[in-house]
Amino acid sequence: MVAWSLRRLLVVSLCSLPAVILLFSALTGRLGANPVEALTNETGEWGLRFLLVALVATPLRRLTGSTFLLAHRRAIGLASFGYVAFHLLVYLALDQSFNWGMVLDDIIGRPFITFGVAAFICLLPLALTSWNGAVRRLGPRVWQRLHRLVYVAAVLGVSHYWLLVKADVREPMIYAGILAVLLAARVTPPRPAVISG
């Protein structure tokens, strides 16, 4: 139990570290010439990174038998949602000053924002039902079906990033490649264990 608590503390600390660094950079004026853009980009990228790390858990268990990520997948998923939510909040508060007319125009007229908002909408019910009581209330089967939205959110998140950068798509291509491998691993049935002797 103590060892599990220490591992959980390690995971939470690692998930929080980018936020601490961003906060320190913001308070000390180290976010560059356009701090709002830097904050928006960094929170969005970390949200996508942690989402992909959460998706690695099952393929990693299949390949290596390691359950470390699987045991902490919920915490990593919540970290992803936290960064994505903050990413959206920075856009709403600092970029648009809560001008809902302009926000709506962006959602309708700018596809990368449409994809980004759609990804957040997919992640929201997953975050709200991430506690054990939700599993009991919904039932394991319904809960599992609902949480398959994570794949849709990941595709939308990568698409959001790809459309955002427009010209140099090398980094979004890396994320897209990782996601493609993870999705392929999900649909490929695990190989049966070979019993020797």
Side-chain angles (χ1 to χ4, degrees):
M1 186 67 180
V2 174
W4 188 90
S5 297
L6 288 174
R7 288 195 296 268
R8 183 63 176 267
L9 179 62
L10 174 64
V11 169
V12 171
S13 298
L14 289 174
C15 290
S16 304
L17 185 59
V20 172
I21 293 171
L22 278 174
L23 179 62
F24 176 78
S25 299
L27 293 175
T28 55
R30 298 182 182 184
L31 287 178
N34 192 337
V36 173
E37 182 180 355
L39 199 57
T40 305
N41 291 343
E42 285 294 319
T43 51
E45 282 195 52
W46 279 109
L48 185 55
R49 288 167 187 156
F50 282 122
L51 186 59
L52 293 177
V53 170
L55 290 177
V56 166
T58 298
L60 184 67
R61 184 197 61 190
R62 287 181 177 180
L63 287 172
T64 68
S66 172
T67 59
F68 179 82
L69 278 183
L70 201 63
H72 302 285
R73 179 172 55 185
R74 195 175 300 185
I76 297 168
L78 284 172
S80 171
F81 175 78
Y83 284 100
V84 170
F86 194 67
H87 174 70
L88 178 61
L89 182 62
V90 170
Y91 163 72
L92 293 175
L94 301 181
D95 193 29
Q96 298 294 352
S97 301
F98 294 111
N99 185 324
W100 299 109
M102 290 178 63
V103 170
L104 185 60
D105 287 344
D106 271 355
I107 293 172
I108 294 171
R110 304 174 77 182
F112 80 92
I113 293 182
T114 309
F115 280 99
V117 171
F120 174 78
I121 291 171
C122 287
L123 289 174
L124 183 58
L126 308 189
L128 294 175
T129 58
S130 64
W131 52 295
N132 291 333
V135 182
R136 291 192 298 270
R137 290 185 183 186
L138 292 172
R141 184 173 297 180
V142 173
W143 188 88
Q144 281 189 333
R145 286 178 181 172
L146 175 64
H147 279 250
R148 286 177 187 155
L149 279 173
V150 69
Y151 308 121
V152 180
V155 171
L156 290 169
V158 170
S159 302
H160 166 70
Y161 188 25
W162 193 302
L163 292 171
L164 168 68
V165 298
K166 297 183 180 75
D168 187 0
V169 296
R170 286 176 294 181
E171 196 165 345
M173 280 180 68
I174 294 171
Y175 289 113
I178 293 170
L179 179 58
V181 170
L182 293 175
L183 292 178
R186 291 278 177 161
V187 298
T188 304
R191 293 181 179 178
V194 177
I195 302 173
S196 59

